[in-house]
Amino acid sequence: MLKSKTFVKKTRSGGVMKIVREHYLRDDIWCGSEACTECKQESTVLQKDTCIESSLCSYPHYLIPDTNVVLHQIDVLEDPVIRNVIVLQTVLQEVRHRSAPIYKRLKDMIHEKEKHFYTFTNEHHRDTFIEREPGESANDRNDRAIRMAAKWYSQHLKTSESNPDGLKVVLLTNDQGNKQKAEESGLLVHKCEEYIKSLIANPELVDRLALSSDDKNEITSNKVLFPEHLPLSKIQAGIKSGSFLQGTFRASRDNYLEATVFVQGEGEDTTEVLIQGLQNLNRAVHQDVVALQLLPQNQWVAPSSVVLQDEGAAKDDNVEEEEEEKVVRWTLTAVLQKTPARKPTGKIVGIIKRNWRPFCGMLNVSQIKESTRHLFTPADRRIPRIRIETRQASTLAGQRIMVAIDGWPKDSRYPNGHFVRSLGSAGEKETEQEVLLLEHDVPHQAFSQAVLSFLPKMPWAITPEDMVKRQDLRQLTVCSVDPPGCTDIDDALHCRELENGNLEVGVHIADVSHFIRPGNALDKEAANRGTTVYLCGKRIDMVPELLSSNLCSLRSNVDRLAFSCIWEMNHEAEILKTQFTKSVINSKVYQHTDIQALTLSSLEVRFHMDSETHDPIDLQTKELMETNSMVEEFMLLANISVAQKIYDEFSECALLRKHPAPPPSNYDILLKAAKSKEVEIHTDSAKALADSLDVARVDGFPYFNTLLRILATRCMMQAVYFCSGMDSDFHHYGLASPIYTHFTSPIRRYADIIVHRLLAVAIGADGTYPDLMDKHKQSALCNNLNYRHKMAQYAQRASVAFHTQLFFKSRGILNEEGFVLFVRKNAIIVLIPKFGLEGTVFFDPKDKTAPSLVFDEEGPTLKVEEHTFHIFDKVKVTISLDDSNIQHQKIRMALTDPVIPGVSVPVPDTEPQTKKPRLDR
């Protein structure tokens, strides 16, 4: 059956265009129920026997949630208890338009067989499709479509001969008007909250309910604590007129009463606006997109040097808090008046987009007996505490849990939220690893069946079709250089002498793009993940293991598909000719090295793990091997060669990587540190800096050059991916290259897969597709890749930090030698080379015996009593684990040498013995 609409539209040129929209309706769309004998369906999703115990619905039943229930109660719907749910096409489409993250979560539930979620395409079923009536809003029409589908299901199941038990359909809605109309139509309908509370066998589900507007009113006070947020219409008008600014809100880790809003200007220019005080912060949460108003210039302030954590007792919104904030304001003002460098300062007037997510943290159990209201403290200090209601407080105490924010009324000191799920006992390795993955937004769920369905069928072999447009290089002696146990081998090399006396050097990279085709579920998942994440003892793959560790991995003595970059060079390493080709190789030799490629400018550590407990039993810094340098040189050359090729062919849509030059002020600390040892460093260019570092030596101080390189690394900007058609600055400062990209690691980086596709099109080895040539879509992809890469780095550092804490946990107090890396106003930052560990030694005890401190910013130096500290001074410190706050454990350092009265601590008599490592993981 065909429905069509015809209407005319005026064109820009003044003409008239006739438009016909066709909508096909069918009568053979299945209901998806096992209980149905009417539909001629090949397979079913909804079970005949629905086992869920409800005091409201004592009969077997399916659930049909409306759009708002899905949007607001997704945490409840994800619970394993909730099964046999009919997801209407109307609801799915509305959710897709209103929230991409929730849409993805809903789709994942639909694909999960154990959940029995069935998608019913009611918009194309002849008996459930409805036209929008004159004067009817789109929302009212969709509500009516949902009721119509629910009614059809009820009648359809009644007529089924195999439904003697009276299987029914229950509509869930929180909209009172929709509920009333459903009841008038004879439908079984309940509010989501009352239905969940009726599940007497699963009372814990009540904690996962997002608060309704009625519930929010019950747990807030009558006192207005924050200004009203302006409506979006006024915000948009204010931004257009210039009276308001739009930006991204970034809360401070160190001071809960301070934040910065980054306002995007023209091009890459960004203005930072300071926000201070609870009322000016006005309920914005880290990463929200906000509207702000600049304060008059005479009210501008400077960033505070006060470290202020919101760790007071959990109390109600009363006058005491008002008094507390007055003290805080006074403290801030006192500090700010001494600080001359003021910044543009503003106040939040509205929220344009909330970027809330479920947050990991721990519950602060209320001291009020039998209270169900408690405060949740997030692991991320930038997130405010959240008030939740739970009846499981005694069980959740001491556990890491997840909580979602539901709203933040103007009369509540904290946002309101609900419990999502428990992650396990705080401090346990598996729990803490899950927390760091969630907090750094690392996708780590198992690959779905939809993704796995696009993997090659095993056993796999190279076919004649695979050899089309591909060179057979299996006769070459090719080798890879990787550490023991490495399974995701991206790259291999060969070198041979040609008959003309020149050298042929080839870099061969795993041809991952052969297995991952554009636009399918496997490709979309890899694009979303963006990168493989390496944690201590665990790897989160970007692509399924069949590809990462088998079919794509360039293992020895097996035929593998590759993408090769081959140069002809003379013996002075000058490139005479460059060739790109798809190929087949067979790695003849597999050389192991101790470490993967690293740089000495950034100390990294390796853990020796106990073979039984997997606890770290030894900790040391990694070393750089000569083979690593050789491999790295050729990989860099391949990346540069490929970058030039894809840019020459596709100047508007090449995916490249740039590294901006640091502003001169970034080098101040490096130049001061070098000058203190009478060493001259040139920073005019990357080459000048590299040459200076190569010759920077101090007699009797062999570690000086490494320390200097560490400081140089801290001066650098972040390298980023970008689309060539959206930027004009291509330069890679760190590599002193005018153009650069990533080509050599497609198993673990999605950017390389895109570069492979561009190169394949450029040499005629593969076809193109629309998104590949769309610079705007390429730019959006680059934004996600930059984000995923940054989060992966943070997750890796957090993993190292946690395992470092585990290592020191059982070792009591250790005494180690270190070097002063930075000097602060009241502290020194010390690097322990043996462990690659940094820590802060503070000189500001809070009692009356505080030492006298004199800080000289020019040095920089810090005089503590009669001793003056300089950068690179050798010191001795004790190292121990401070686990007084289980959620924020940290390594504590205390000075033992030089000896300063009232500051230094005695050297421990003995040091704990460490076991010899039995297994290196």
Side-chain angles (χ1 to χ4, degrees):
M1 183 177 175
L2 176 65
K3 291 266 186 181
S4 63
K5 280 186 178 180
T6 305
F7 56 95
V8 292
K9 181 180 178 181
K10 192 174 182 180
T11 64
R12 289 182 180 178
S13 60
V16 174
M17 178 186 294
K18 182 180 180 182
I19 296 176
V20 178
R21 285 187 180 165
E22 297 179 339
H23 189 91
Y24 288 89
L25 300 179
R26 301 172 57 171
D27 56 8
D28 58 349
I29 296 174
W30 306 332
C31 71
S33 172
E34 280 181 348
C36 176
T37 55
E38 300 295 315
C39 297
K40 308 298 181 186
Q41 43 199 356
E42 297 174 6
S43 61
T44 57
V45 175
L46 300 166
Q47 295 172 298
K48 182 178 181 180
D49 300 316
T50 61
C51 303
I52 190 163
E53 196 173 348
S54 167
S55 59
L56 274 179
C57 309
S58 56
Y59 38 80
H61 58 276
Y62 299 146
L63 297 175
I64 298 182
D66 74 0
T67 305
N68 284 321
V69 168
V70 174
L71 288 170
H72 297 123
Q73 305 296 350
I74 189 73
D75 292 323
V76 171
L77 294 176
E78 283 178 328
D79 193 280
V81 170
I82 305 299
R83 294 178 294 170
N84 293 293
V85 174
I86 299 165
V87 180
L88 299 178
Q89 181 187 3
T90 305
V91 171
L92 197 61
Q93 288 174 343
E94 278 197 289
V95 170
R96 183 180 184 181
H97 290 136
R98 290 172 62 179
S99 175
I102 292 178
Y103 175 74
K104 184 182 185 304
R105 291 166 70 180
L106 182 58
K107 291 287 286 185
D108 288 344
M109 284 190 278
I110 292 168
H111 289 131
E112 191 178 337
K113 287 185 178 179
E114 294 77 13
K115 291 286 286 178
H116 300 281
F117 274 44
Y118 179 66
T119 305
F120 179 64
T121 50
N122 63 302
E123 296 290 353
H124 288 278
H125 195 292
R126 187 176 63 182
D127 296 333
T128 57
F129 171 76
I130 59 169
E131 298 271 9
R132 184 173 169 184
E133 294 178 350
E136 186 178 38
S137 71
N139 185 64
D140 287 344
R141 180 265 168 204
N142 289 340
D143 284 346
R144 188 161 59 88
I146 292 169
R147 294 194 300 272
M148 174 66 78
K151 189 170 185 178
W152 179 86
Y153 257 103
S154 298
Q155 294 171 343
H156 181 75
L157 291 174
K158 272 183 186 177
T159 60
S160 177
E161 295 177 2
S162 62
N163 185 23
D165 297 328
L167 186 63
K168 296 180 172 34
V169 172
V170 175
L171 175 63
L172 296 182
T173 180
N174 290 330
D175 184 302
Q176 187 58 41
N178 194 23
K179 183 174 183 290
Q180 185 176 340
K181 289 177 181 177
E183 289 170 336
E184 291 169 357
S185 301
L187 295 174
L188 291 170
V189 57
H190 293 291
K191 284 191 172 182
C192 183
E193 289 85 350
E194 63 185 12
Y195 176 80
I196 296 301
K197 289 175 181 177
S198 78
L199 303 181
I200 49 181
N202 304 96
E204 73 283 354
L205 267 183
V206 174
D207 285 355
R208 301 187 70 175
L209 282 169
L211 295 178
S212 66
S213 56
D214 293 339
D215 294 331
K216 291 172 189 174
N217 291 334
E218 286 177 13
I219 64 170
T220 56
S221 69
N222 295 323
K223 181 180 63 178
V224 175
L225 300 174
F226 298 98
E228 189 82 60
H229 285 152
L230 296 179
L232 197 57
S233 57
K234 285 191 177 180
I235 290 173
Q236 290 171 337
I239 291 173
K240 190 174 182 180
S241 67
S243 56
F244 299 152
L245 298 174
Q246 175 178 327
T248 303
F249 182 90
R250 294 185 186 167
S252 168
R253 289 183 189 274
D254 300 319
N255 189 332
Y256 78 101
L257 292 176
E258 185 170 280
T260 303
V261 176
F262 288 78
V263 179
Q264 188 68 47
E266 293 183 7
E268 295 187 359
D269 294 338
T270 301
T271 302
E272 296 182 18
V273 180
L274 192 64
I275 314 290
Q276 283 187 348
L278 272 180
Q279 290 212 330
N280 288 343
L281 294 170
N282 199 6
R283 297 169 285 157
V285 176
H286 183 65
Q287 295 291 9
D288 282 351
V289 179
V290 300
L292 66 93
Q293 185 175 31
L294 282 177
L295 297 176
Q297 200 159 345
N298 62 358
Q299 294 181 31
W300 289 8
V301 294
S304 169
S305 60
V306 173
V307 175
L308 201 60
Q309 304 297 338
D310 185 9
E311 293 175 347
K315 53 193 175 193
D316 292 329
D317 304 316
N318 55 28
V319 180
E320 288 179 22
E321 285 190 350
E322 207 168 281
E323 294 302 315
E324 180 185 17
E325 196 189 344
K326 286 180 183 175
V327 175
V328 170
R329 283 198 197 122
W330 180 86
T331 307
L332 285 171
T333 305
V335 174
L336 295 172
Q337 285 173 346
K338 299 176 184 177
T339 312
R342 298 187 173 193
K343 294 178 63 174
T345 308
K347 63 179 180 180
I348 305 300
V349 296
I351 308 296
I352 296 172
K353 181 186 177 186
R354 289 291 194 188
N355 274 317
W356 293 344
R357 58 177 175 82
F359 300 104
C360 302
M362 296 183 71
L363 194 68
N364 291 0
V365 179
S366 173
Q367 301 303 307
I368 303 173
K369 192 177 180 181
E370 297 183 2
S371 173
T372 60
R373 294 172 59 192
H374 308 273
L375 277 181
F376 163 84
T377 301
D380 188 340
R381 293 186 185 275
R382 296 169 297 185
I383 306 300
R385 293 195 288 174
I386 303 165
R387 180 177 284 111
I388 70 168
E389 289 206 16
T390 177
R391 294 150 189 81
Q392 308 176 67
S394 57
T395 304
L396 299 179
Q399 292 194 4
R400 291 280 203 168
I401 65 173
M402 292 186 75
V403 163
I405 298 177
D406 299 324
W408 195 343
K410 63 183 178 182
D411 50 3
S412 175
R413 171 65 181 80
Y414 299 108
N416 299 321
H418 65 273
F419 168 75
V420 176
R421 64 186 173 103
S422 173
L423 302 172
S425 297
E428 291 186 356
K429 281 187 297 184
E430 293 76 14
T431 302
E432 297 304 322
Q433 186 166 262
E434 178 74 3
V435 168
L436 76 86
L437 289 171
L438 290 167
E439 281 299 289
H440 295 98
D441 197 16
V442 175
H444 60 286
Q445 68 279 6
F447 290 101
S448 68
Q449 286 303 313
V451 169
L452 297 177
S453 68
F454 287 95
L455 292 175
K457 301 296 181 285
M458 298 299 285
W460 175 84
I462 297 174
T463 65
E465 289 78 15
D466 294 331
M467 295 304 298
V468 176
K469 299 181 180 179
R470 193 179 292 274
Q471 285 193 42
D472 191 339
L473 304 180
R474 285 174 282 195
Q475 79 283 1
L476 296 178
T477 301
V478 176
C479 69
S480 61
V481 183
D482 286 284
C486 180
T487 58
D488 54 341
I489 305 168
D490 287 286
D491 52 80
L493 295 163
H494 90 269
C495 181
R496 64 175 177 171
E497 191 166 19
L498 299 175
E499 293 181 358
N500 60 9
N502 291 331
L503 296 174
E504 181 185 85
V505 179
V507 166
H508 310 278
I509 306 300
D511 189 5
V512 182
S513 62
H514 174 84
F515 297 95
I516 301 180
R517 303 309 296 166
N520 66 25
L522 177 57
D523 181 48
K524 289 177 180 177
E525 182 66 22
N528 177 52
R529 295 189 177 212
T531 181
T532 292
V533 181
Y534 295 90
L535 307 179
C536 298
K538 186 179 180 69
R539 187 181 79 201
I540 313 295
D541 281 328
M542 181 184 77
V543 298
E545 189 178 17
L546 179 64
L547 298 183
S548 66
S549 298
N550 188 351
L551 300 184
C552 292
S553 184
L554 304 183
R555 302 186 298 178
S556 59
N557 302 316
V558 290
D559 294 346
R560 286 292 178 257
L561 302 180
F563 211 145
S564 302
C565 176
I566 302 171
W567 303 279
E568 182 177 336
M569 300 179 176
N570 59 26
H571 285 266
E572 284 71 45
E574 295 173 331
I575 298 175
L576 306 175
K577 189 186 300 182
T578 303
Q579 178 194 2
F580 304 103
T581 181
K582 293 245 183 175
S583 61
V584 179
I585 65 168
N586 188 302
S587 185
K588 302 294 191 297
V589 185
Y590 177 36
Q591 291 186 1
H592 293 295
T593 68
D594 286 337
I595 306 297
Q596 282 175 308
L598 305 165
T599 69
L600 275 178
S601 59
S602 177
L603 284 185
E604 297 188 40
V605 297
R606 66 186 295 186
F607 294 92
H608 293 286
M609 312 293 270
D610 186 286
S611 57
E612 295 174 5
T613 67
H614 296 252
D615 287 335
I617 56 176
D618 197 13
L619 172 63
Q620 60 188 222
T621 55
K622 297 178 179 178
E623 300 175 52
L624 182 67
M625 312 299 287
E626 286 189 17
T627 46
N628 298 128
S629 299
M630 174 195 73
V631 172
E632 187 174 14
E633 287 295 324
F634 284 118
M635 296 303 130
L636 296 177
L637 182 59
N639 287 335
I640 292 169
S641 298
V642 170
Q644 192 62 59
K645 177 67 176 178
I646 62 174
Y647 177 65
D648 289 344
E649 294 289 333
F650 309 109
S651 61
E652 286 293 297
C653 57
L655 193 155
L656 304 175
R657 187 164 176 82
K658 68 175 181 176
H659 184 210
S665 59
N666 278 29
Y667 288 120
D668 288 351
I669 189 66
L670 175 67
L671 298 176
K672 289 178 180 178
K675 187 178 179 182
S676 70
K677 299 296 181 184
E678 298 181 347
V679 171
E680 192 172 5
I681 297 292
H682 299 283
T683 59
D684 305 357
S685 65
K687 186 178 186 308
L689 175 61
D691 291 344
S692 299
L693 291 173
D694 286 342
V695 298
R697 298 286 185 273
V698 172
D699 293 339
F701 192 176
Y703 205 66
F704 171 76
N705 190 265
T706 300
L707 289 171
L708 210 58
R709 289 181 184 274
I710 291 171
L711 284 184
T713 301
R714 307 290 172 88
C715 301
M716 296 298 148
M717 306 290 283
Q718 184 72 42
V720 292
Y721 297 109
F722 70 102
C723 176
S724 59
M726 304 293 283
D727 207 325
S728 57
D729 179 16
F730 293 7
H731 189 72
H732 196 292
Y733 177 83
L735 299 174
S737 175
I739 195 168
Y740 191 68
T741 194
H742 274 161
F743 164 75
T744 54
S745 296
I747 292 178
R748 61 184 179 90
R749 291 188 309 231
Y750 188 76
D752 302 54
I753 293 178
I754 295 296
V755 169
H756 277 226
R757 290 174 180 170
L758 288 165
L759 184 61
V761 176
I763 65 172
D766 205 348
T768 186
Y769 57 99
D771 284 6
L772 192 66
M773 298 295 136
D774 188 324
K775 66 179 182 181
H776 296 287
K777 290 189 176 178
Q778 286 281 53
S779 184
L781 173 64
C782 288
N783 290 338
N784 180 62
L785 296 180
N786 290 329
Y787 171 73
R788 292 296 187 200
H789 181 71
K790 180 175 66 176
M791 289 296 105
Q793 286 183 319
Y794 291 165
Q796 286 172 258
R797 292 172 194 169
S799 180
V800 169
F802 174 67
H803 279 76
T804 302
Q805 292 167 8
L806 284 182
F807 171 75
F808 284 105
K809 188 174 185 177
S810 60
R811 278 157 182 75
I813 301 175
L814 299 184
N815 189 49
E816 296 293 343
E817 188 178 83
F819 296 93
V820 176
L821 199 57
F822 297 102
V823 176
R824 300 288 187 243
K825 291 181 179 179
N826 62 345
I828 55 173
I829 286 81
V830 177
L831 173 72
I832 311 298
K834 179 179 177 181
F835 300 134
L837 179 70
E838 284 182 36
T840 304
V841 177
F842 289 99
F843 299 119
D844 56 345
K846 296 178 180 178
D847 55 32
K848 296 179 181 179
T849 61
S852 63
L853 305 176
V854 179
F855 177 70
D856 179 7
E857 196 170 355
E858 288 303 312
T861 62
L862 177 64
K863 187 176 181 181
V864 184
E865 297 294 342
E866 297 303 316
H867 184 87
T868 302
F869 289 96
H870 307 80
I871 291 180
F872 299 160
D873 279 357
K874 186 180 289 187
V875 296
K876 287 186 178 179
V877 296
T878 60
I879 310 172
S880 60
L881 178 66
D882 179 1
D883 58 1
S884 57
N885 182 337
I886 193 169
Q887 182 156 241
H888 297 112
Q889 298 184 59
K890 56 189 176 185
I891 300 298
R892 185 174 294 282
M893 291 187 184
L895 192 69
T896 61
D897 186 28
V899 177
I900 302 175
V903 173
S904 304
V905 298
V907 180
D909 294 333
T910 59
E911 294 185 9
Q913 296 294 312
T914 58
K915 294 183 285 183
K916 291 185 178 179
R918 285 180 280 170
L919 182 65
D920 180 11
R921 295 182 184 270

